[in-house]
Amino acid sequence: MVNRTSQDAPEVAPSSSPEVVYSSGYDADKADITKIERVLSGDDAMEKTHINYDRMDKELAKYANASAITITPEDDKRLKRMIDKRVLPVMVFTYFLQALDKGTMSFASIMGIRDDIPALSNTHNYGWLTTCIYIGVLVVEYPTNWLIQRVPLAKYLSLNIILWSITLACHAACKSFPALLVVRTLLGIFEAVCQPTFLILSSMWYKREEQATIVTLWYMMNGGQQIVGGLLAYCFSLIPSGGPLAGWQAIFLTYGCFSLLWGGFVLWWLPDSPMRAKCFSEEDKVLMIERVRANQTGIQNKSFRKEQIYEALLDPQTWCYCLIAICTTLPTSGLGSFSQIIIKSFDFTILQTQLLAMVLGVVIVITLVSSTWIVQKTSQKNTIIMAIYVIPSFVGTIVLMSVKNDGSKAKQAGLLISYYMVLSFWAAQTLAMSLLSRNIAGQTKKTVVLAMNFVSWSVGNAIGPQVFLPNDGPRYFTAFAVHMGCYVLLVLVILFLRFNLMSRNNTKDRLAAEVAEARDEGLVHAFEDLTDRENPAFRYMY
């Protein structure tokens, strides 16, 4: 059952648009808050009570109501269950496979690949097998973000899954370092679609208050792949030598074939958008769109707006997300690539190291789930929780830099626990991505910010393995010193982001108190492709 919040809102059939009222006087180019106030006040104010269909996506206009409608709690729960069943499993399991496929090299590093390909015994060469992935991501990041705004999202995702599956299987045929560089770079190019696509899907299907949980659910598959990957790698390590396939070849081939099947399933199962979801009724499509109206970030819009590029580049928020991405992925990439080598340096056997990687995954999952749970329980105090979760990373890194392993069981256990503690900063990475999906509005602006964020993500990931210098093992003092610098900068950026967003909300609150139209209580302009700064009714989450 649907209850309209405005008695003036006309009843609209799903297949037809409400009465179109074109607002030629609406100035969408104004990003400065004082200019918004001027636009929304004066002779032109009455026009602001109508949707401006000139700015609205035509496909979305067929389903979007003229003003907000209230959805009963029962319908809201029913719709979320339907979305969870159709969309969430695809995001979670696809990200799991992507993380598993990308992380397989770490397990293969102690399964004989460095013996079969002697060039990999050089730590510098081995580090390049991770760096080249993110160079590939770096090259295609903006084209990928541009495409996912314009092409059928689910079909583009499934195509890339199929392509990276084939690439992964080809790893088993590589016999030289250059061949591995080629397939690893291609793997990065095809896997670049995942994170930006999933952030778009999260904002397209879920309400703002749900997105932190949704982003965490798929992002924590980085830990899930450590758990499952460690167990599977242990099994593949038991393959006897001298057979047709070495253990590392078998693992690449198996994962590649399974991912190929999953790509076909995604093509069949996942809808491109709520408007194109043939699996849902026309009435439910309308309600699903209304569920996310209050997000004020829109669903889709294929129009290119040059002014939104400038706003993205000049917005301090954009650069905060970029710095957070670099400060978190640089340690993540290095620790991920060298996790098996570092743990083994604590005097564990190969099989023990494989199994301890499962504990590493558990630590990551607990970190991400607990941070999201605390955010929900503390009324969305995202940035505060992000800063708090960096503290154990400081402690763990200091221990790893200052304590030398002398072979005793106590030192062995202490160093292992300290290594696990370092990973707590992952909470900042996940919550930052969920903030980006909730705080950036305007499709062109979001495309630019996502591209810049994942370019930064790629830069951090590419640099990460390179700070683990060959002559610095097994303690890698230089690498952990660089990580400490990242954590310091990370905390400073988080604090700046918090105060910046608080200040913006206070300014908008003052405007809303003075100008009635700025409140947009019917959420009339929610789908007009306004940016977060252009829309005076938008409020930031921090």
Side-chain angles (χ1 to χ4, degrees):
M1 180 178 177
V2 178
N3 299 317
R4 300 186 182 278
T5 58
S6 172
Q7 294 179 351
D8 298 328
E11 194 73 37
V12 181
S15 58
S16 61
S17 301
E19 181 183 356
V20 178
V21 180
Y22 293 101
S23 178
S24 59
Y26 189 84
D27 190 347
D29 297 341
K30 308 298 184 183
D32 185 82
I33 198 70
T34 58
K35 294 180 181 179
I36 296 173
E37 181 176 3
R38 176 172 55 79
V39 170
L40 287 176
S41 59
D43 298 335
D44 197 33
M46 289 302 294
E47 281 193 2
K48 305 305 170 290
T49 60
H50 302 289
I51 287 182
N52 181 354
Y53 280 91
D54 283 329
R55 297 185 59 90
M56 196 170 179
D57 181 79
K58 305 310 177 189
E59 190 174 61
L60 176 59
K62 296 177 182 178
Y63 292 91
N65 200 47
S67 63
I69 60 177
T70 301
I71 302 174
T72 62
E74 294 77 15
D75 271 340
D76 188 64
K77 292 179 181 178
R78 178 180 63 85
L79 293 167
K80 187 174 184 299
R81 284 195 300 269
M82 293 168 64
I83 295 168
D84 286 344
K85 178 182 177 181
R86 201 82 194 184
V87 179
L88 186 58
V90 171
M91 290 196 292
V92 170
F93 196 68
T94 301
Y95 202 86
F96 167 77
L97 285 181
Q98 182 254 181
L100 185 68
D101 294 350
K102 190 182 296 178
T104 302
M105 184 58 70
S106 178
F107 293 109
S109 66
I110 57 173
M111 292 173 63
I113 191 172
R114 301 175 81 183
D115 297 325
D116 293 344
I117 304 177
L120 299 185
S121 60
N122 183 314
T123 304
H124 181 70
N125 287 342
Y126 173 74
W128 271 102
L129 295 183
T130 297
T131 297
C132 68
I133 286 181
Y134 298 104
I135 291 176
V137 174
L138 185 64
V139 171
V140 301
E141 195 59 60
Y142 186 78
T144 293
N145 278 275
W146 186 86
L147 282 169
I148 61 179
Q149 185 184 353
R150 290 166 174 79
V151 301
L153 204 55
K155 296 179 180 62
Y156 185 67
L157 174 63
S158 60
L159 172 64
N160 279 273
I161 294 173
I162 291 169
L163 291 174
W164 95 49
S165 303
I166 296 170
T167 303
L168 186 70
C170 289
H171 280 54
C174 293
K175 299 294 185 181
S176 66
F177 176 63
L180 276 175
L181 276 179
V182 170
V183 294
R184 297 295 284 175
T185 304
L186 289 174
L187 188 68
I189 289 172
F190 298 134
E191 288 188 348
V193 70
C194 273
Q195 289 195 25
T197 297
F198 291 167
L199 286 179
I200 294 293
L201 287 172
S202 298
S203 63
M204 177 186 290
W205 291 94
Y206 289 96
K207 295 190 287 188
R208 292 180 86 192
E209 59 268 26
E210 298 166 348
Q211 287 177 32
T213 301
I214 297 303
V215 171
T216 298
L217 284 173
W218 55 260
Y219 197 74
M220 75 179 186
M221 289 301 103
N222 284 297
Q225 74 88 11
Q226 286 282 351
I227 300 171
V228 178
L231 181 60
L232 291 175
Y234 174 79
C235 296
F236 279 101
S237 296
L238 300 178
I239 295 177
S241 59
L245 288 176
W248 66 268
Q249 291 176 308
I251 200 170
F252 279 122
L253 192 59
T254 302
Y255 288 0
C257 292
F258 186 83
S259 297
L260 182 65
L261 296 175
W262 178 253
F265 173 79
V266 171
L267 179 63
W268 169 70
W269 182 258
L270 182 66
D272 292 310
S273 68
M275 295 78 73
R276 294 190 178 192
K278 296 180 181 179
C279 51
F280 301 135
S281 68
E282 294 295 292
E283 182 180 12
D284 281 342
K285 291 180 186 179
V286 173
L287 296 180
M288 286 176 181
I289 290 167
E290 287 300 321
R291 275 191 92 244
V292 299
R293 180 189 283 265
N295 291 358
Q296 299 273 16
T297 53
I299 291 180
Q300 71 175 30
N301 196 297
K302 296 179 174 61
S303 298
F304 175 80
R305 305 188 192 280
K306 182 174 64 175
E307 68 277 5
Q308 292 191 11
I309 296 180
Y310 299 140
E311 181 176 322
L313 294 174
L314 296 174
D315 192 340
Q317 185 185 191
T318 302
W319 298 102
C320 284
Y321 295 134
C322 289
L323 284 173
I324 291 172
I326 291 175
C327 291
T328 53
T329 55
L330 194 156
T332 297
S333 177
L335 293 172
S337 299
F338 287 83
S339 61
Q340 308 291 305
I341 297 171
I342 292 172
I343 294 175
K344 191 172 183 295
S345 73
F346 299 154
D347 296 332
F348 292 105
T349 66
I350 291 178
L351 293 182
Q352 286 173 335
T353 301
Q354 299 281 29
L355 294 176
L356 285 171
M358 297 171 63
V359 181
L360 190 67
V362 172
V363 172
I364 293 171
V365 170
I366 291 174
T367 297
L368 300 186
V369 171
S370 63
S371 62
T372 304
W373 182 82
I374 295 173
V375 164
Q376 299 290 349
K377 293 297 181 181
T378 56
S379 303
Q380 299 290 335
K381 291 183 172 58
N382 296 266
T383 48
I384 292 177
I385 304 304
M386 289 165 65
I388 289 174
Y389 266 74
V390 183
I391 295 174
S393 298
F394 280 109
V395 177
T397 304
I398 290 171
V399 172
L400 290 173
M401 293 176 68
S402 58
V403 177
K404 186 176 181 180
N405 184 17
D406 60 7
S408 68
K409 293 295 183 183
K411 292 284 183 67
Q412 186 183 39
L415 288 169
L416 182 64
I417 293 171
S418 298
Y419 181 69
Y420 290 155
M421 289 176 62
V422 169
L423 300 175
S424 67
F425 72 88
W426 276 54
Q429 187 175 34
T430 309
L431 292 175
M433 282 198 295
S434 72
L435 283 177
L436 190 158
S437 73
R438 291 176 284 172
N439 283 342
I440 301 295
Q443 291 303 309
T444 302
K445 180 179 181 181
K446 181 172 285 190
T447 298
V448 173
V449 175
L450 281 173
M452 291 174 65
N453 181 75
F454 288 113
V455 163
S456 303
W457 180 85
S458 303
V459 169
N461 275 301
I463 295 173
Q466 302 304 315
V467 300
F468 283 80
L469 304 178
N471 58 352
D472 212 21
R475 295 181 66 188
Y476 297 108
F477 188 88
T478 302
F480 286 115
V482 172
H483 293 181
M484 283 290 287
C486 288
Y487 303 146
V488 172
L489 179 58
L490 176 61
V491 172
L492 294 176
V493 172
I494 290 171
L495 294 177
F496 173 81
L497 177 63
R498 177 176 179 80
F499 288 111
N500 182 262
L501 296 182
M502 287 175 62
S503 175
R504 295 191 198 189
N505 279 354
N506 291 337
T507 303
K508 292 193 175 197
D509 287 342
R510 289 195 297 270
L511 174 64
E514 297 170 4
V515 183
E517 290 78 9
R519 293 192 284 273
D520 191 16
E521 293 173 352
L523 302 177
V524 173
H525 306 295
F527 295 131
E528 291 182 6
D529 198 30
L530 299 173
T531 68
D532 49 281
R533 302 195 73 163
E534 288 173 333
N535 186 350
F538 188 94
R539 293 297 182 274
Y540 297 95
M541 302 187 79
Y542 52 83

